[in-house]
Amino acid sequence: MLIGMLLPMLVTAQTDQLWFANQPKKSGWCNLYSDLSKKDLTEQVIEKELAGFFSAFNKVKVSSDKVANFHIIIDDQKKDNLGAEGYKLYGKLTAPERIDYTIVAETPAGALYGVYAFLRMKKLGAEIPVLQDSNGQAIVERPAFQVRILNHWDNPDGSVERGYAGRSIWFADGKINFRSDIETYARANASVGINGTVIDNVNADPKILSPEMLQGVKTVADRLRPYNIKVYLAVNFSSPAALGGLKTSDPLDKDVIDWWQKKVDEIYALIPNFGGFLVKANSEGLPGPMDFGRTHADGANMLAKALKPHGGIVMWRAFVYNPQGGDRAKQAYYEFMPLDGKFDDNVIIQIKNGPVDFQPREPFSPLFGAMKKTQTMAELQITQEYLGYSDHLCYLATMWKEFMDYPTFHDGKSVIETTLNQKVTAFSAVANTGTMKNWCGYVMAQANWYAFGRLAWNPNLSAREIAKEWVMQTITKDEQTVNTICDIMMQSREAVTNYMTPIGLHHLMGWSDHWGPEPWTSIPGAREDWLPRYYHKAAADGIGFNRSSKNDGSNAVEQYQEPLRSMYDDPQLCPRELVLWFHHLPWNYYFNDGKTVWETLLDRYNGGVQQVEQFQKTWASLKGKVPELIFTEVTKKLEVQLDEAQWWRDGCMQYFQTFSDMPLNFTPKYTMEQCKAKLRTKSYLERQKD
Amino acid sequence: MLIGMLLPMLVTAQTDQLWFANQPKKSGWCNLYSDLSKKDLTEQVIEKELAGFFSAFNKVKVSSDKVANFHIIIDDQKKDNLGAEGYKLYGKLTAPERIDYTIVAETPAGALYGVYAFLRMKKLGAEIPVLQDSNGQAIVERPAFQVRILNHWDNPDGSVERGYAGRSIWFADGKINFRSDIETYARANASVGINGTVIDNVNADPKILSPEMLQGVKTVADRLRPYNIKVYLAVNFSSPAALGGLKTSDPLDKDVIDWWQKKVDEIYALIPNFGGFLVKANSEGLPGPMDFGRTHADGANMLAKALKPHGGIVMWRAFVYNPQGGDRAKQAYYEFMPLDGKFDDNVIIQIKNGPVDFQPREPFSPLFGAMKKTQTMAELQITQEYLGYSDHLCYLATMWKEFMDYPTFHDGKSVIETTLNQKVTAFSAVANTGTMKNWCGYVMAQANWYAFGRLAWNPNLSAREIAKEWVMQTITKDEQTVNTICDIMMQSREAVTNYMTPIGLHHLMGWSDHWGPEPWTSIPGAREDWLPRYYHKAAADGIGFNRSSKNDGSNAVEQYQEPLRSMYDDPQLCPRELVLWFHHLPWNYYFNDGKTVWETLLDRYNGGVQQVEQFQKTWASLKGKVPELIFTEVTKKLEVQLDEAQWWRDGCMQYFQTFSDMPLNFTPKYTMEQCKAKLRTKSYLERQKD
């Protein structure tokens, strides 16, 4: 009993610190000289971080190698062109066996990122270049994107849409009420370069802009500012009417324009470094400019003009589709392409990675690269809405890299390159945080937050590199163990795809809560494009969504540039991983490996389950090599994951079998009835309380 | 002992009859009326075939439903436009429970094919349409290709290059000496529509054109003619000098031209329906027009002009490459494209399916579709030179269909479509026949011969359909057993690819005999492009042949039409199955499924071995359901196949490991030393004698 009570304490002591969990013992000495004022809040963070790392820490007033061995230099001359957030970092041999370090930056923010880079490299055992060496070349880093931002889908009532780690870290009972250890959130973000946060849900409550609420937002902004994190707000397009009492929210209405300008001025009076607005408009029932016969551009530009004098931006979401619009995957393109070039220069269009909705695998959204006169940015999802919640080990960097590096064939650019070289550049992701002690509901889910930040800073990092960094900072530095854990992480997303939605299937999950398999759902009166059958189209004649140019396909392929268009259009050339996204194929259609669609589905669903079993075996071999509570947590979660992988396999394959009339090659753990019952009898959040 | 002696007899009684092995008991009656003369040799075959099927067979002289119930009608008016080899087939209800059949054709050949189609449908239990039915529509078939031809690589001394079924069925001791049961060969071919055969090796001996040899060839032609099979000869381009005693074989030399014209006249005097020549020139040391400063077109056209008055054709092979020519995969394209449009209209360029040489998987040869003003035809290989000889169960129709149906993006045509719509159309394959009782050395290898013929007739048939037809005619009609065997067949080629040359690897096999794994070969003085290392390029930095446009790649991708060029050029878009064909990738390069190149190679090599193990298990379950001797033969061969699959895996992966320095995840059956020893100690033919 005693142990049982002590152990949770130990977990707390570790994983609530995120990737600061596996801190090394303090060692070495640091005499810091800094060009920054002692009163600078960022300087204070820097000092605290260095003091936490070195066993002896002093602040000195002279930047001389004799006195200081750590120099923070503000380069007013901008000699190194480091920009608002870049840094230069190097060592210098000043005496035998004494290496001093220098961080050069143009801003406190740059210095802070340099310090976090220094600490990370030290923790990872990476060599910091010593300039006198023949190979010595200072590290110079500048973030790839200006805005590296989390989207919290947190509601004022404290609930979190698609949150699997408890309640909101920002709100409770209609008010701002942030976690007392919010500094951990801030330093975690800063340590990986995240510099923005939208604290409220894109399904925005108008009252987020109420004076009372803004007072609360100001307190958040004040706490995050030292860490170079700006606050942004998701706003409801109907706020002028709903909150301001106007008769309309028409973006061309003068009163509306005035209302927004005043509201923006009010915000900046409270929060001088306020970032701007995120807007979900005319999407899934939310209001927007089209309600008034205006366009997305009219709406976005109106807000942008209000923000512009203050340096704020508008992130306008392209996640739009309507029930009558035909193939949902095509709609954002249709709605936005005609507006290309019509957006103000402080508007950026925020596009989900895929054309539907954060599925385990989607092709990239064809808007990337296609909008040539419009600023665009990617929206990823860290929270595992469709990937097993915070119960499944699913490292997402592999998925993101697949997306980011995919060639668009627009001007020879990869997807991510199409969002660079703009006046405003940004990279966003929906957060997976909550009030649970460990922030994310699963230690392994923290890795995705970490990975998002690292990729936003440097999209060229590999998924494996990032995984390794995270494991070493969070769990252990033992090389073999690190590699073993990375191996699991690297394959985990494909495993999830295999047991949930292999070879291009998508949107098979449970109604509303998006949990578990529910390809069979039929809800009277429901929007057809919210039902799995709209997507899988399983029938006696086969399975998959014909988005090709042939046989009455939706011709979504047309939105892609050649050669992708032709490649996707041909079931033989279409990547196997996406084939049922683009094609409706007979159950006995043969792929080049001599296996039918049916056999391939069996292979993948079984394969996914087997991968999880393998993860379990591999993880079991780490007993004693990772902190006991992490070992136990992952062990327990893998049990849940295996069970749910089996459930997915059983539910989907038995359901598909009703059409294919072909044999299964496994013994289901669950009957169809049990699959359905499991979905209905217990919600995820209820289950979390067990 | 008695059983032991009887059983081989039973095997003989079955599989030496090829796909006539599983003959049904005779039943029904047939009163045949035929427009064909009783003296027509093809008519005699028709009568024999019908007499062999019906328990009562009579020939009648009046085409009346009262008298005849089977009508063969020669349509002199060409009303149905059936062409030289087409037929129409239908039934007619002439009395309650009496259906009479009619075959209409313009030629005896068409009638013969109609009869074989009738018999096949009857054996398969397929319904022959009855015209009075509302859905009754006569079957009308015309072959897709005019020339459907086997290439025998048989030498006058009786050896067979790449033959794994004993000695030549045509030659012995420098003379024609064909199998006494050559009619079985003839009817087998005719039953699937094969209408031509090149009886000698493309590495042609000049003496094939000697008067004595031609007398022998005439005897072959006479035996095959009733079955509508024409004889062709592979000729040595130096024949005028080597055989005729001329000073040169220069195709523009008048004496040479004369010599060939006389030789052709001599042939046609003996064999009026002689088909023409097949020529391998300026390839792998063989002579050709380029030896005299002439082009392939000069050479081919000279022969074509001699053949033209007699209706003969020249099949000129594009299988050319030279040691100094850079990437071997690119050379045929370079040599032939400049000649596009320069060939006479009875010349057809014969192109191997892939750009290298009959590997388990290759991309299609880029010449298909690229030569727009030149007649082209495909050369497949039935004999399993690179696919486990006649020891491995490897159904090739899946490979061929992959090749045939592949989109070239030349005028929207698939590969096979680029060879249609020509004045001369043809489809060829290297035969797998020999003197062994069962013709092919393995009952399962017969299926490939069958499949080639069926595809040459109708390229739209599916690999599965053909497998099913073959199993039912050869082994059993029990539906479940048929399906089980077809399942194995359909996956067998991918299994071989997996354990031999996965994800685009190629040419890893043993020196000279092309047997077993030998990626390590190093033979002093050997042509570099005959060594596996030329192809796999395994080194510390990775594996695979960079044929991309980047990083000093050979840019072979350039020979493909967009979108294929861009698709192959990008390792992320390149089909996984071909990725090491086109790219040199680091061992730890990650694919989208989170697995490295190394892990993927392990997966495939292990997977291939496991597939063979699964074939064994599945086959074992058929005991009692298939003829005992077929059961035993396949059981024994699968043991050899498993052993060799393990050998391939062990040899390749342990060899690659010397570069990758990464761990294996299986226990090798053979050490590297044993892998090498196995290759050297016993040749295949010696082993066949065991």
Side-chain angles (χ1 to χ4, degrees):
Chain A
M1 277 308 280
L2 187 63
I3 290 169
M5 290 185 67
L6 278 177
L7 288 178
M9 301 285 289
L10 185 54
V11 151
T12 303
Q14 295 181 320
T15 60
D16 68 344
Q17 291 304 309
L18 297 161
W19 39 96
F20 301 95
N22 187 34
Q23 286 288 82
K25 280 215 183 101
K26 288 184 176 195
S27 75
W29 59 280
C30 175
N31 280 357
L32 171 70
Y33 166 80
S34 174
D35 275 349
L36 294 172
S37 152
K38 197 174 163 181
K39 288 182 195 153
D40 186 286
L41 295 172
T42 300
E43 167 70 8
Q44 291 169 19
V45 173
I46 288 172
E47 288 175 23
K48 200 168 148 198
E49 290 290 1
L50 291 174
F53 182 79
F54 291 102
S55 39
F57 175 79
N58 291 293
K59 187 81 187 289
V60 297
K61 293 193 173 163
V62 185
S63 176
S64 143
D65 288 341
K66 298 248 168 79
V67 182
N69 70 342
F70 203 113
H71 314 263
I72 290 181
I73 308 299
I74 296 301
D75 173 20
D76 296 323
Q77 309 299 313
K78 307 189 179 181
K79 279 183 296 188
D80 287 307
N81 197 23
L82 297 168
E85 301 184 311
Y87 61 84
K88 184 160 89 167
L89 165 62
Y90 57 89
K92 219 168 85 181
L93 199 66
T94 54
E97 301 192 28
R98 173 178 157 185
I99 296 172
D100 295 359
Y101 296 100
T102 301
I103 290 168
V104 184
E106 293 176 13
T107 61
L112 180 70
Y113 292 135
V115 167
Y116 278 120
F118 169 82
L119 294 173
R120 179 171 58 242
M121 291 180 76
K122 282 289 176 196
K123 289 178 200 167
L124 298 176
E127 290 229 359
I128 294 167
V130 172
L131 286 202
Q132 290 100 326
D133 282 2
S134 57
N135 294 326
Q137 172 118 32
I139 293 169
V140 174
E141 292 233 342
R142 299 172 197 90
F145 296 95
Q146 295 154 15
V147 180
R148 306 174 296 281
I149 188 169
L150 292 177
N151 290 188
H152 292 271
W153 287 357
D154 291 18
N155 299 311
D157 68 1
S159 64
V160 182
E161 185 166 333
R162 313 309 170 189
Y164 314 106
R167 306 281 295 172
S168 169
I169 62 171
W170 305 115
F171 301 99
D173 304 321
K175 293 180 192 150
I176 288 287
N177 184 356
F178 52 80
R179 268 178 80 139
S180 55
D181 56 349
I182 202 70
E183 254 77 27
T184 300
Y185 169 91
R187 74 190 285 239
N189 279 332
S191 74
V192 292
I194 293 170
N195 68 355
T197 184
V198 185
I199 62 169
D200 65 319
N201 192 353
V202 289
N203 291 319
D205 189 328
K207 79 173 166 210
I208 192 72
L209 292 177
S210 69
E212 307 72 43
M213 191 66 93
L214 289 177
Q215 285 294 339
V217 176
K218 173 192 160 45
T219 62
V220 172
D222 289 343
R223 293 291 283 271
L224 300 182
R225 192 174 296 109
Y227 292 89
N228 193 45
I229 300 170
K230 285 184 185 175
V231 166
Y232 298 68
L233 290 176
V235 296
N236 187 302
F237 200 78
S238 278
S239 298
L243 182 70
L246 301 193
K247 285 188 189 148
T248 179
S249 295
D250 181 346
L252 300 195
D253 182 277
K254 196 183 166 307
D255 293 340
V256 171
I257 295 170
D258 282 349
W259 188 89
W260 279 110
Q261 279 179 348
K262 283 192 188 121
K263 184 53 73 181
V264 166
D265 293 342
E266 178 189 347
I267 296 171
Y268 277 93
L270 291 167
I271 310 168
N273 72 331
F274 181 70
F277 293 147
L278 170 62
V279 191
K280 173 178 179 176
N282 292 121
S283 168
E284 299 185 318
L286 281 177
M290 292 158 87
D291 301 340
F292 311 99
R294 315 301 179 189
T295 68
H296 287 290
D298 293 330
N301 293 344
M302 181 271 293
L303 294 175
K305 283 181 178 57
L307 289 158
K308 178 111 183 181
H310 305 281
I313 63 167
V314 173
M315 293 167 287
W316 191 271
R317 292 174 97 233
F319 179 66
V320 295
Y321 61 102
N322 71 67
Q324 283 80 42
D327 179 3
R328 173 173 161 188
K330 291 167 69 183
Q331 294 186 38
Y333 188 94
Y334 280 154
E335 242 176 78
F336 276 85
M337 282 305 287
L339 302 175
D340 191 18
K342 304 221 163 119
F343 292 95
D344 282 5
D345 69 358
N346 61 331
V347 175
I348 186 164
I349 305 302
Q350 181 168 318
I351 309 166
K352 290 191 183 185
N353 59 297
V356 171
D357 193 10
F358 297 138
Q359 294 300 296
R361 179 173 267 116
E362 301 192 25
F364 69 89
S365 163
L367 280 171
F368 290 107
M371 295 192 88
K372 295 193 192 298
K373 294 174 282 178
T374 302
Q375 303 184 113
T376 59
M377 61 184 281
E379 176 181 321
L380 308 176
Q381 193 181 48
I382 304 172
T383 190
Q384 292 168 235
E385 175 177 2
Y386 300 103
L387 290 117
Y389 289 8
S390 287
D391 279 339
H392 293 209
L393 196 167
C394 184
Y395 177 56
L396 296 172
T398 48
M399 174 161 95
W400 297 337
K401 285 292 283 183
E402 175 179 329
F403 157 71
M404 294 161 74
D405 294 344
Y406 212 90
T408 65
F409 294 93
H410 286 288
D411 313 315
K413 290 177 177 167
S414 68
V415 169
I416 208 63
E417 286 165 352
T418 68
T419 69
L420 292 169
N421 302 316
Q422 303 170 158
K423 186 155 175 282
V424 180
T425 59
F427 194 57
S428 69
V430 182
N432 64 347
T433 52
T435 50
M436 288 186 178
K437 278 254 158 67
N438 70 5
W439 293 90
C440 302
Y442 191 1
V443 60
M444 299 306 292
Q446 296 175 356
N448 294 325
W449 178 4
Y450 181 89
F452 164 70
R454 293 292 284 143
L455 288 172
W457 182 277
N458 181 4
N460 296 321
L461 291 174
S462 77
R464 175 86 188 199
E465 263 174 288
I466 296 171
K468 194 174 164 186
E469 285 184 5
W470 175 81
V471 173
M472 288 177 73
Q473 293 172 79
T474 309
I475 303 181
T476 177
K477 283 188 198 159
D478 173 67
E479 196 182 333
Q480 206 190 317
T481 308
V482 170
N483 282 329
T484 304
I485 298 173
C486 287
D487 286 346
I488 293 176
M489 291 170 74
M490 287 301 293
Q491 294 182 24
S492 59
R493 175 265 186 143
E494 198 69 24
V496 174
T497 307
N498 284 334
Y499 62 69
M500 282 188 184
T501 53
I503 61 170
L505 290 174
H506 50 291
H507 210 289
L508 304 183
M509 70 289 161
W511 172 262
S512 172
D513 67 1
H514 298 177
W515 180 57
E518 201 177 355
W520 49 78
T521 323
S522 180
I523 292 176
R527 281 178 64 160
E528 192 60 22
D529 60 355
W530 285 358
L531 295 175
R533 66 182 179 209
Y534 174 91
Y535 300 93
H536 63 64
K537 304 216 186 296
D541 73 344
I543 184 167
F545 196 134
N546 181 3
R547 294 189 168 105
S548 81
S549 66
K550 294 159 196 138
N551 307 318
D552 292 323
S554 80
N555 202 17
V557 296
E558 185 189 42
Q559 297 180 342
Y560 292 91
Q561 191 75 358
E562 289 290 9
L564 300 178
R565 184 185 303 166
S566 297
M567 188 177 97
Y568 292 149
D569 203 29
D570 183 311
Q572 193 163 356
L573 298 184
C574 184
R576 186 77 35 86
E577 305 318 315
L578 290 172
V579 72
L580 298 183
W581 182 285
F582 288 111
H583 297 276
H584 186 77
L585 299 177
W587 297 103
N588 62 1
Y589 176 90
Y590 276 98
F591 294 119
N592 287 352
D593 62 1
K595 292 192 179 178
T596 60
V597 165
W598 179 252
E599 288 164 339
T600 305
L601 288 173
L602 283 169
D603 273 5
R604 299 299 174 104
Y605 276 103
N606 282 317
V609 170
Q610 283 155 15
Q611 280 176 291
V612 180
E613 286 167 343
Q614 191 55 52
F615 296 161
Q616 285 187 315
K617 272 182 216 154
T618 306
W619 187 259
S621 76
L622 299 183
K623 191 165 172 65
K625 294 181 178 164
V626 298
E628 182 62 24
L629 286 182
I630 290 181
F631 180 81
T632 306
E633 182 188 1
V634 176
T635 301
K636 278 179 67 174
K637 291 274 193 184
L638 283 173
E639 279 168 27
V640 174
Q641 185 170 2
L642 177 61
D643 176 70
E644 296 191 358
Q646 290 164 320
W647 177 33
W648 269 94
R649 178 197 59 187
D650 296 352
C652 292
M653 289 307 295
Q654 289 182 98
Y655 170 71
F656 294 147
Q657 192 183 32
T658 63
F659 302 103
S660 77
D661 201 24
M662 289 171 163
L664 299 179
N665 63 354
F666 62 92
T667 308
K669 179 174 175 184
Y670 297 108
T671 64
M672 272 299 275
E673 213 170 79
Q674 289 169 326
C675 286
K676 291 178 183 178
K678 196 171 162 82
L679 197 62
R680 279 191 302 264
T681 49
K682 231 193 230 179
S683 81
Y684 172 78
L685 288 178
E686 278 165 6
R687 206 159 43 73
Q688 273 193 313
K689 293 179 200 142
D690 289 355
Chain B
M1 278 309 282
L2 188 64
I3 290 170
M5 290 184 68
L6 276 174
L7 288 179
M9 302 287 289
L10 185 52
V11 153
T12 302
Q14 295 179 321
T15 59
D16 68 343
Q17 291 304 306
L18 296 161
W19 39 96
F20 302 94
N22 188 35
Q23 286 288 80
K25 281 215 182 103
K26 290 183 175 194
S27 75
W29 59 279
C30 174
N31 280 356
L32 172 70
Y33 166 81
S34 174
D35 275 350
L36 293 171
S37 152
K38 198 174 163 180
K39 288 182 193 152
D40 186 286
L41 295 172
T42 300
E43 167 71 8
Q44 290 169 19
V45 174
I46 288 172
E47 289 176 22
K48 203 171 144 196
E49 290 290 2
L50 291 174
F53 182 79
F54 292 101
S55 41
F57 174 82
N58 292 293
K59 188 82 188 287
V60 298
K61 292 193 174 164
V62 186
S63 176
S64 145
D65 288 340
K66 299 248 170 74
V67 183
N69 68 343
F70 202 113
H71 314 263
I72 290 182
I73 307 299
I74 297 300
D75 173 20
D76 296 324
Q77 309 299 310
K78 308 189 178 184
K79 278 184 298 192
D80 288 305
N81 196 23
L82 297 169
E85 301 184 310
Y87 61 85
K88 184 161 89 168
L89 165 63
Y90 57 89
K92 219 168 84 180
L93 198 68
T94 53
E97 302 193 26
R98 174 180 157 183
I99 297 173
D100 295 358
Y101 295 100
T102 301
I103 289 168
V104 184
E106 293 177 11
T107 63
L112 180 70
Y113 292 135
V115 167
Y116 279 120
F118 169 83
L119 293 173
R120 179 172 55 243
M121 292 181 75
K122 282 287 177 195
K123 289 177 202 167
L124 298 175
E127 290 229 1
I128 294 167
V130 173
L131 287 202
Q132 292 99 328
D133 282 0
S134 57
N135 294 326
Q137 173 116 33
I139 292 168
V140 175
E141 291 233 343
R142 299 172 197 90
F145 296 94
Q146 293 154 15
V147 179
R148 306 174 294 282
I149 188 168
L150 292 176
N151 289 187
H152 292 271
W153 287 356
D154 292 17
N155 299 311
D157 67 4
S159 64
V160 182
E161 185 168 333
R162 314 306 173 188
Y164 314 106
R167 306 282 294 173
S168 170
I169 62 171
W170 305 114
F171 301 99
D173 304 322
K175 292 180 194 152
I176 289 287
N177 185 357
F178 53 79
R179 268 179 81 139
S180 56
D181 55 350
I182 203 69
E183 255 77 27
T184 301
Y185 169 92
R187 75 191 284 241
N189 279 330
S191 74
V192 291
I194 292 169
N195 69 355
T197 184
V198 185
I199 62 169
D200 64 320
N201 192 352
V202 287
N203 291 320
D205 188 329
K207 78 174 170 210
I208 191 74
L209 293 177
S210 70
E212 308 72 43
M213 191 68 93
L214 290 176
Q215 285 294 340
V217 176
K218 173 193 160 43
T219 62
V220 173
D222 290 343
R223 293 290 284 272
L224 300 182
R225 192 174 295 107
Y227 293 87
N228 193 47
I229 299 170
K230 283 184 187 175
V231 167
Y232 298 68
L233 291 176
V235 296
N236 187 302
F237 200 77
S238 279
S239 298
L243 182 72
L246 302 192
K247 286 187 188 150
T248 178
S249 294
D250 180 348
L252 301 194
D253 181 278
K254 196 183 167 307
D255 292 341
V256 171
I257 296 169
D258 281 352
W259 187 88
W260 279 110
Q261 278 181 348
K262 282 191 189 123
K263 183 53 71 179
V264 167
D265 293 343
E266 179 190 345
I267 297 171
Y268 277 94
L270 292 167
I271 309 168
N273 71 332
F274 179 71
F277 293 146
L278 170 62
V279 191
K280 174 177 180 178
N282 292 122
S283 168
E284 299 185 321
L286 282 177
M290 290 157 89
D291 301 340
F292 312 98
R294 314 303 180 189
T295 69
H296 288 291
D298 293 330
N301 293 344
M302 180 271 293
L303 294 175
K305 283 179 177 58
L307 288 158
K308 179 109 183 182
H310 305 282
I313 63 169
V314 173
M315 293 167 288
W316 191 272
R317 292 174 94 232
F319 179 67
V320 294
Y321 61 102
N322 71 66
Q324 283 79 42
D327 179 4
R328 172 172 162 189
K330 292 167 69 183
Q331 295 186 35
Y333 188 94
Y334 279 153
E335 241 175 79
F336 276 85
M337 282 305 288
L339 301 174
D340 191 19
K342 303 221 164 118
F343 293 95
D344 282 6
D345 70 358
N346 60 331
V347 175
I348 185 164
I349 305 302
Q350 181 168 319
I351 309 166
K352 290 190 183 186
N353 57 298
V356 171
D357 193 10
F358 297 139
Q359 295 300 296
R361 179 174 267 116
E362 300 191 25
F364 69 88
S365 163
L367 281 171
F368 290 107
M371 295 192 87
K372 296 195 188 299
K373 295 174 284 178
T374 301
Q375 303 184 112
T376 59
M377 61 184 283
E379 177 181 320
L380 308 175
Q381 193 181 48
I382 304 173
T383 190
Q384 293 168 237
E385 176 177 1
Y386 299 103
L387 292 118
Y389 289 8
S390 286
D391 279 339
H392 294 209
L393 196 168
C394 184
Y395 177 56
L396 296 172
T398 48
M399 174 161 93
W400 298 336
K401 285 292 283 183
E402 175 180 328
F403 158 72
M404 294 161 75
D405 294 345
Y406 211 89
T408 65
F409 294 93
H410 286 288
D411 313 316
K413 289 176 178 168
S414 69
V415 169
I416 207 63
E417 285 165 351
T418 68
T419 69
L420 293 168
N421 302 316
Q422 302 170 159
K423 185 155 175 281
V424 180
T425 60
F427 194 58
S428 69
V430 183
N432 64 347
T433 52
T435 50
M436 288 187 178
K437 278 253 158 72
N438 70 5
W439 294 90
C440 302
Y442 191 1
V443 61
M444 299 306 292
Q446 296 175 356
N448 293 326
W449 178 4
Y450 181 89
F452 165 71
R454 293 290 286 142
L455 288 171
W457 182 275
N458 180 2
N460 296 321
L461 291 173
S462 76
R464 176 85 186 199
E465 262 175 288
I466 296 170
K468 192 173 167 186
E469 286 185 4
W470 176 80
V471 173
M472 289 177 74
Q473 292 173 78
T474 310
I475 303 180
T476 176
K477 283 187 197 159
D478 174 66
E479 196 181 332
Q480 205 190 318
T481 308
V482 169
N483 281 330
T484 302
I485 298 173
C486 288
D487 286 346
I488 293 176
M489 290 169 74
M490 287 302 291
Q491 294 182 26
S492 58
R493 176 263 187 146
E494 198 69 22
V496 174
T497 307
N498 283 335
Y499 62 68
M500 283 188 184
T501 53
I503 61 169
L505 290 174
H506 50 292
H507 210 290
L508 304 183
M509 69 290 161
W511 172 261
S512 171
D513 67 0
H514 297 177
W515 181 57
E518 202 178 354
W520 49 78
T521 322
S522 178
I523 292 175
R527 280 178 65 159
E528 192 60 21
D529 60 353
W530 284 357
L531 295 175
R533 66 182 179 208
Y534 174 92
Y535 300 93
H536 62 65
K537 304 217 189 291
D541 74 342
I543 184 169
F545 197 132
N546 181 3
R547 293 189 169 105
S548 81
S549 67
K550 292 156 199 142
N551 306 319
D552 291 324
S554 79
N555 203 17
V557 297
E558 183 189 45
Q559 298 180 342
Y560 292 91
Q561 192 75 359
E562 290 288 11
L564 299 178
R565 184 184 304 166
S566 297
M567 186 178 100
Y568 292 149
D569 203 29
D570 183 313
Q572 191 163 359
L573 298 184
C574 184
R576 185 76 35 88
E577 305 317 316
L578 290 173
V579 73
L580 297 184
W581 183 282
F582 287 112
H583 296 278
H584 186 78
L585 299 177
W587 298 103
N588 63 358
Y589 175 92
Y590 276 99
F591 293 118
N592 287 351
D593 61 1
K595 293 192 179 178
T596 60
V597 165
W598 180 252
E599 288 165 340
T600 306
L601 288 173
L602 283 170
D603 272 5
R604 299 300 173 103
Y605 276 104
N606 282 317
V609 170
Q610 283 156 13
Q611 280 177 290
V612 180
E613 287 168 341
Q614 190 55 51
F615 297 161
Q616 284 187 316
K617 273 182 216 153
T618 307
W619 187 259
S621 76
L622 299 182
K623 191 164 171 66
K625 294 182 178 163
V626 298
E628 181 62 23
L629 285 182
I630 291 181
F631 180 81
T632 306
E633 183 189 2
V634 176
T635 300
K636 279 180 64 175
K637 292 272 193 185
L638 282 174
E639 281 167 25
V640 173
Q641 185 170 1
L642 178 61
D643 176 68
E644 296 191 357
Q646 290 164 319
W647 178 32
W648 270 94
R649 178 196 61 185
D650 296 351
C652 291
M653 289 308 294
Q654 290 183 99
Y655 170 70
F656 294 150
Q657 192 184 31
T658 64
F659 301 104
S660 77
D661 201 24
M662 289 171 162
L664 299 178
N665 63 353
F666 61 93
T667 308
K669 179 174 175 184
Y670 297 107
T671 64
M672 273 296 276
E673 211 169 83
Q674 289 169 324
C675 286
K676 291 178 183 177
K678 197 170 161 82
L679 197 63
R680 280 191 301 265
T681 49
K682 229 191 227 180
S683 81
Y684 173 78
L685 288 177
E686 278 164 7
R687 209 161 40 77
Q688 272 195 314
K689 292 179 200 142
D690 291 354

